[in-house]
């Protein structure tokens, strides 16, 4: 108790008081004065002012307390975070881990049969964002390359299916690999000019690239039917069987589940491979990794290509799910959203991205009642996340290796594991 | 036998500034050679030219690892130079901070491995064996440099001296014929410097790696190097054994200034 009390000094209180006064002045015009234009009267709502003052004071105190507590913790302290404790527990109890995985699997499998079509549909969207997030995670989280035009590859996949289907009647299953392939090619095309760019400059060029693709789709009417988009895109077929809307929704849901499993499987393996390590080294220090023999050119191209691959695939599924696409689905906002999934979830961490996508996509859907405040809450969450958990909800923990204790290193390896 | 590293008339200009001026330089196989000079003399620029970070304005660089015939490496990218058998450390530590100590060394082993994208996804036996081997090899290198207790730590959490050693371990992972150390003793206390001294000699004797180091710590330079090159204002002003260098009037002038001035 006394530990907590030491944070609340008079100095801190004064600061909070100033903060609350500042908030009262700031919100005075909108929260206190209310002009009634019909009766030409001004209503002074002083009660609001007091409420804001007290609210701001408490919020400020809480904020300072949390910030102080965070700063008190030394980065090298042995105190284990909740995340590490959970992970340790899972490693010690492999049975419980398997049980949990089976439970999650069973829940996901039963989900469309237990809930409405609407629920299934938004869960499918969330699953799509998981795959998109994992794809972008290769570029941003592992490769350390800030990419703001990711939605462009998503658009390439969606338009590949829509156009190939419109002109040649190609089916979903044929277009799935073609869409992914074309997106990969686009990824490589983008990677070549940005090889020499880093950080802010890279972000600007990728942002531009994303907008270029969208504007082309919007204006090249002969090719992409412009802003009116393409309608009546068929849903995925199942050996030529015709499906009712509900069956089709469930079917797409399971296609997405399979995609998520496939993506996690591949990304997990990439992450701890020779190639994945090269990407991470490139993220950590480009010059040093080059001096250690890593071909930066090749690494950058592979991250962009593999990142684009997943976006292309999801794009095809997106077109099949909504049966209608137009360029408005692939704006900068879309890229930012996917980036938020990666950053909030935890850069470089697969589980983090999964959680991030679920939170960012499902929460707004279930909070429709507060939809007016959605952007406000979104902003607040981002700020709070960046201050208190800059590594994301689930930060990336590197794989640990065990070594057979030899005579002279017996003690050290015990410690190291 | 051809020297393991040789530069002929190496010159590097940045606009009007000549940072490295016509340097002829030689490291023979199995030697420990030091490159010294006052601050801003062009030592690190020389390093960067040799390791491919800069492309020299003129002149030639030849390397002849493992008794092969000399190859010209001007303008090769750093990763290609490393593949030829040159590895380096950095003056300001440049570890992969958020990777574990073991992974840092595994990155050093990168060029010795082959597995690609498909290997990573399908994990055929060849890839798995390769992975097992690289883990063990990296661990052995860490053990050799006394870093095995940190194996699963993140590199950024290591004490300073250990980070310096890890840089050397990472460079050794590439199995170089010549190791270039850029101020390895910077920021170390005398005890740590002494340990480093022993370590460098051991690397040369046990691993048969020639060593070129830039260093300001004269006790280290004089005690371990067999040959010293002194540069000042980009020019090579002296070369010879430590004793010769100590007596050389040009070197004394470069370091302490002219007696008459």
């Amino acid at each position: 108790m006394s530990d907590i009390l030491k944070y609340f000094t008079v100095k801190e209180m004064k600061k909070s008081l100033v903060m609350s006064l500042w908030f009262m002045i700031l919100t005075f015009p909108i929260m206190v004065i209310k002009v009634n234009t019909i009766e030409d009267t001004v209503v002074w709502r002083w009660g609001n002012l007091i409420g804001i003052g007290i609210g701001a004071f408490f919020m400020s105190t809480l904020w300072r307390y949390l910030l102080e507590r965070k700063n008190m913790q030394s980065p090298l302290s042995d105190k284990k975070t909740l995340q590490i404790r959970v992970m340790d527990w899972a490693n010690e109890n492999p049975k419980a881990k398997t049980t949990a995985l089976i439970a999650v699997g069973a829940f996901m499998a039963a989900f469309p049969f237990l809930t409405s079509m609407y629920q299934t549909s938004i869960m499918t969207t969330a699953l799509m964002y998981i795959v998109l997030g994992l794809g972008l995670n290769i570029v941003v989280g592992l490769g350390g390359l800030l990419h703001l035009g990711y939605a462009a590859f998503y658009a390439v996949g969606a338009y590949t299916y829509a156009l190939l289907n419109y002109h040649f009647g190609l089916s979903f299953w044929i277009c799935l690999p073609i869409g992914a392939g074309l997106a990969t090619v686009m990824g490589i095309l983008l990677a070549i000019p940005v090889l020499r760019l880093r950080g802010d400059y890279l972000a600007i060029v990728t942002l531009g690239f994303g907008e270029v693709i969208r504007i082309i789709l919007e204006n090249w009417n002969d090719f992409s039917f412009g802003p009116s988009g393409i309608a009546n895109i068929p849903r995925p077929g199942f050996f030529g069987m015709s499906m009712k809307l509900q069956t089709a929704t469930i079917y797409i849901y399971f296609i997405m589940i399979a995609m998520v499993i496939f993506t996690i499987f591949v990304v997990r393996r990439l992450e701890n491979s020779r190639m994945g390590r090269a990407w991470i080294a490139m993220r950590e220090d480009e010059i040093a990794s080059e001096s250690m023999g890593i071909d930066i050119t090749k690494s950058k191209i592979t991250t962009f290509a593999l990142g684009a691959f997943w976006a292309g695939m999801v794009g095809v599924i997106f077109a099949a799910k909504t049966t209608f696409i137009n360029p408005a689905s692939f704006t900068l906002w879309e890229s930012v959203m996917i980036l938020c999934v990666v950053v909030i979830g935890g850069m470089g961490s697969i589980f983090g991205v999964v959680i991030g996508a679920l939170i960012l996509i499902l929460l707004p859907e279930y909070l429709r009642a507060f939809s007016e405040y959605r952007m406000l809450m979104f902003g607040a969450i981002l700020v709070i996340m960046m201050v208190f958990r800059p590594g994301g909800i689930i930060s990336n923990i590197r794989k640990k290796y065990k070594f057979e204790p030899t005579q002279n290193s017996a003690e050290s390896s015990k410690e190291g594991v | 036998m051809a020297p393991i590293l040789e530069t002929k008339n190496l010159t590097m200009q940045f606009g009007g500034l000549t940072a490295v001026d016509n340097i002829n330089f030689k490291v023979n196989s199995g030697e420990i050679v030091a490159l010294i000079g006052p601050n801003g003399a062009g030592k690190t620029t020389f390093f960067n030219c040799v390791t491919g970070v800069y492309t020299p304005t003129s002149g030639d660089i030849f390397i002849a690892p493992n008794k092969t015939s000399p190859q010209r490496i001007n303008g090769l990218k750093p990763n290609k130079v490393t593949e030829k058998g040159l590895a380096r450390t950095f003056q300001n530590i440049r570890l992969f901070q958020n990777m574990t100590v073991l992974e840092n060394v595994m990155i050093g082993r990168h060029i010795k491995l082959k597995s690609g994208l498909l290997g990573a996804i399908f994990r055929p036996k060849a890839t798995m064996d390769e992975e097992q081997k690289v883990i063990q090899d990296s661990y052995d290198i860490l053990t050799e440099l006394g870093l095995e207790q940190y194996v699963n730590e993140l590199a950024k959490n290591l004490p300073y001296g250990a980070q310096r050693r890890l840089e050397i371990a990472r460079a050794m992972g590439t199995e170089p014929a010549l190791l270039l150390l850029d101020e390895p003793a910077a920021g170390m206390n005398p005890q740590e410097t002494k340990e480093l001294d022993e370590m460098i000699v051991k690397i040369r004797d046990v691993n048969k790696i020639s060593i070129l180091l830039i260093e300001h710590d004269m006790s280290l330079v004089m005690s371990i190097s067999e040959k010293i090159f002194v540069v000042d204002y980009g020019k090579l002003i002296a070369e010879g054994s430590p004793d010769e260098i100590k007596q050389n009037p040009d070197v004394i002038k470069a370091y302490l200034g002219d007696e008459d001035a």
Side-chain angles (χ1 to χ4, degrees):
Chain A
M1 193 63 202
S2 60
D3 274 358
I4 295 174
L5 277 177
K6 77 170 183 242
Y7 292 111
F8 300 101
T9 56
V10 178
K11 204 175 140 203
E12 291 288 306
M13 291 291 140
K14 268 187 192 161
K15 278 185 188 164
S16 293
L17 204 62
V18 172
M19 193 60 82
S20 86
L21 276 173
W22 172 239
F23 258 80
M24 278 151 81
I25 296 167
L26 208 64
T27 54
F28 184 79
I30 50 167
M31 295 306 286
V32 179
I33 306 170
K34 189 182 186 188
V35 181
N36 190 328
T37 45
I38 299 166
E39 290 167 21
D40 271 350
T41 50
V42 177
V43 186
W44 301 87
R45 297 173 295 178
W46 295 109
N48 280 354
L49 189 69
I50 296 165
I52 283 179
I54 296 170
F57 182 79
F58 277 107
M59 289 307 281
S60 166
T61 318
L62 183 69
W63 178 261
R64 277 168 197 292
Y65 162 67
L66 291 174
L67 213 58
E68 196 67 18
R69 208 180 65 163
K70 180 184 166 246
N71 291 342
M72 286 286 178
Q73 283 170 357
S74 109
L76 286 175
S77 73
D78 287 335
K79 207 176 146 194
K80 288 181 175 173
T81 58
L82 182 65
Q83 188 192 338
I84 291 177
R85 266 181 288 167
V86 170
M87 278 179 58
D88 284 350
W89 177 82
N91 285 339
E92 280 161 24
N93 304 295
K95 266 190 188 162
K97 197 175 158 188
T98 334
T99 318
L101 274 178
I102 290 171
V104 171
F107 174 74
M108 291 314 279
F111 188 80
F113 305 107
L114 298 175
T115 57
S116 66
M117 216 170 90
Y118 165 71
Q119 302 282 352
T120 312
S121 179
I122 57 173
M123 187 53 97
T124 311
T125 311
L127 293 175
M128 280 165 50
Y129 275 88
I130 291 178
V131 177
L132 287 170
L134 288 172
L136 186 62
N137 187 33
I138 294 176
V139 188
V140 178
L142 299 181
L145 306 162
L146 185 51
H147 190 346
L148 289 178
Y150 196 61
F153 302 127
Y154 188 30
V156 168
Y159 269 87
T160 305
Y161 176 42
L163 290 172
L164 285 179
N165 185 270
Y166 182 85
H167 292 296
F168 307 108
L170 293 185
S171 77
F172 172 81
W173 291 109
I174 295 173
C175 288
L176 193 64
I178 299 178
L182 268 182
T184 312
V185 172
M186 292 298 276
I188 295 169
L189 286 182
L190 171 65
I192 292 166
V194 302
L195 279 176
R196 292 176 163 273
L197 303 177
R198 306 209 59 195
D200 316 1
Y201 306 101
L202 180 70
I204 292 167
V205 174
T206 51
L207 188 149
F209 173 80
E211 286 301 277
V212 165
I213 295 279
R214 185 180 64 82
I215 289 168
I216 288 175
L217 291 175
E218 213 151 71
N219 292 295
W220 193 1
N221 286 334
D222 301 336
F223 171 71
S224 65
F225 303 98
S228 55
I230 302 167
N232 292 327
I233 305 166
R235 293 197 170 81
F238 185 70
F239 300 112
M241 242 160 61
S242 68
M243 275 182 271
K244 280 187 297 183
L245 181 58
Q246 187 167 6
T247 333
T249 311
I250 295 174
Y251 182 45
I252 295 180
Y253 173 83
F254 280 109
I255 291 176
M256 249 353 275
I257 291 272
M259 274 285 288
V260 169
I261 293 170
F262 173 55
T263 314
I264 292 177
F265 174 80
V266 172
V267 175
R268 255 186 85 99
R269 291 199 152 186
L270 282 178
E271 195 181 44
N272 281 312
S273 69
R274 168 174 182 260
M275 214 170 173
R277 281 196 302 270
W279 293 338
I280 299 170
M282 173 172 81
R283 172 190 78 192
E284 293 296 315
D285 193 322
E286 225 170 86
I287 291 177
S289 58
E290 217 176 358
S291 288
M292 288 303 123
I294 287 166
D295 190 341
I296 292 289
T297 312
K298 205 170 139 195
S299 285
K300 277 194 180 168
I301 290 178
T302 49
T303 52
F304 269 98
L306 276 172
F309 174 83
W310 301 111
M313 257 192 178
V314 181
V316 175
I317 298 177
F318 173 75
K321 174 177 178 275
T322 55
T323 69
F324 167 76
I325 52 164
N326 73 349
S329 307
F330 310 104
T331 53
L332 173 64
W333 173 244
E334 200 64 24
S335 302
V336 171
M337 193 71 190
I338 304 167
L339 187 65
C340 281
V341 165
V342 177
V343 173
I344 291 184
M347 287 216 264
S349 137
I350 293 173
F351 191 46
V353 172
V354 172
I355 298 288
L358 291 178
I359 290 177
L360 281 186
I361 306 305
L362 294 184
L363 215 55
E365 292 291 342
Y366 290 122
L367 293 179
R368 281 234 178 254
F370 310 100
S371 58
E372 286 171 50
Y373 304 102
R374 208 199 264 186
M375 285 299 127
L376 196 68
M377 280 157 62
F378 206 69
I381 291 175
L382 272 181
V383 171
I384 293 169
M385 280 296 304
M386 286 303 106
V387 171
F388 292 105
R389 280 198 76 92
I393 299 172
I394 316 272
S395 44
N396 180 24
I397 307 254
R398 296 304 306 164
K399 189 174 172 185
K400 295 200 182 336
Y401 296 89
K402 285 183 187 175
F403 290 95
E404 297 296 316
T406 49
Q407 282 107 341
N408 46 4
S409 63
E411 273 183 24
S412 52
S413 55
K414 245 183 253 164
E415 216 174 289
V417 168
Chain B
M1 200 174 86
I4 197 158
L5 171 74
E6 187 171 18
T7 70
K8 285 180 181 158
N9 305 325
L10 189 73
T11 302
M12 179 74 211
Q13 288 172 323
F14 297 104
L17 179 86
T18 308
V20 172
D21 195 355
N22 236 348
I23 289 189
N24 291 303
F25 184 90
K26 217 191 264 180
V27 181
N28 290 317
S29 188
E31 265 182 343
I32 298 179
V33 176
L35 181 65
I36 62 170
N39 286 325
K43 305 182 296 288
T44 298
T45 309
F46 176 81
F47 247 50
N48 284 340
C49 286
V50 171
T51 52
V53 177
Y54 300 145
T55 306
T57 318
S58 64
D60 297 305
I61 308 163
F62 295 98
I63 59 169
N66 308 324
K67 296 166 188 166
T68 51
S69 58
Q71 310 171 45
R72 191 167 176 271
I73 57 164
N74 293 39
L76 282 187
K77 285 169 116 193
N79 55 314
K80 293 288 169 207
V81 174
T82 309
E83 279 175 32
K84 298 254 183 245
L86 244 66
R88 70 173 294 184
T89 66
F90 293 88
Q91 185 176 354
N92 41 349
I93 299 175
R94 300 190 87 128
L95 288 170
F96 307 122
Q97 305 226 338
N98 290 309
M99 297 174 91
T100 63
V101 168
L102 186 75
E103 282 173 324
N104 268 275
V105 183
M106 281 161 85
I107 287 292
R109 304 286 307 157
H110 186 85
I111 50 169
K112 298 289 168 195
L113 311 178
K114 287 186 196 70
S115 79
L117 178 64
L118 294 177
I121 296 172
F122 297 112
R123 292 199 178 161
K125 194 165 176 300
T127 308
M128 294 310 285
D129 291 348
E130 193 183 76
E131 275 299 282
Q132 271 311 313
K133 192 168 179 309
V134 65
I135 292 168
Q136 196 54 49
D137 286 352
S138 308
Y139 187 70
D140 291 345
I141 293 173
L142 288 174
T143 316
E144 198 181 327
L145 297 194
L147 288 164
E148 73 275 12
Q149 79 260 37
Y150 300 117
V151 71
N152 281 320
E153 283 303 326
L154 290 187
K156 66 178 174 188
N157 293 341
L158 255 54
Y160 184 83
Q163 292 198 6
R164 282 263 173 228
R165 268 183 288 154
L166 179 55
E167 273 226 318
I168 296 176
R170 189 178 64 175
M172 279 171 61
T174 67
E175 284 179 19
L178 175 66
L179 185 60
L180 295 95
L181 306 171
D182 197 348
E183 296 201 23
M188 282 190 170
N189 63 33
Q191 178 59 32
E192 286 171 326
T193 309
K194 204 169 149 281
E195 285 167 18
L196 181 76
D197 176 332
E198 287 159 10
M199 204 171 88
I200 293 174
V201 175
K202 202 177 125 199
I203 289 172
R204 194 265 309 262
D205 293 343
V206 177
N207 303 66
K208 310 285 178 221
I209 298 174
S210 318
I211 286 163
L212 166 60
L213 76 159
I214 292 180
E215 190 47 72
H216 277 299
D217 188 308
M218 283 305 148
S219 66
L220 180 73
V221 170
M222 294 300 168
S223 67
I224 65 170
S225 43
E226 282 134 17
K227 204 167 167 193
I228 297 176
F229 287 82
V230 189
V231 284
D232 193 18
Y233 294 111
K235 285 196 176 68
L236 199 63
I237 57 170
E239 60 174 285
S241 69
D243 288 330
E244 285 164 19
I245 293 295
K246 274 184 210 163
Q247 315 293 334
N248 190 311
D250 286 338
V251 177
I252 295 167
K253 204 167 91 183
Y255 271 90
L256 302 174
D258 216 327
E259 242 173 273
D260 308 326

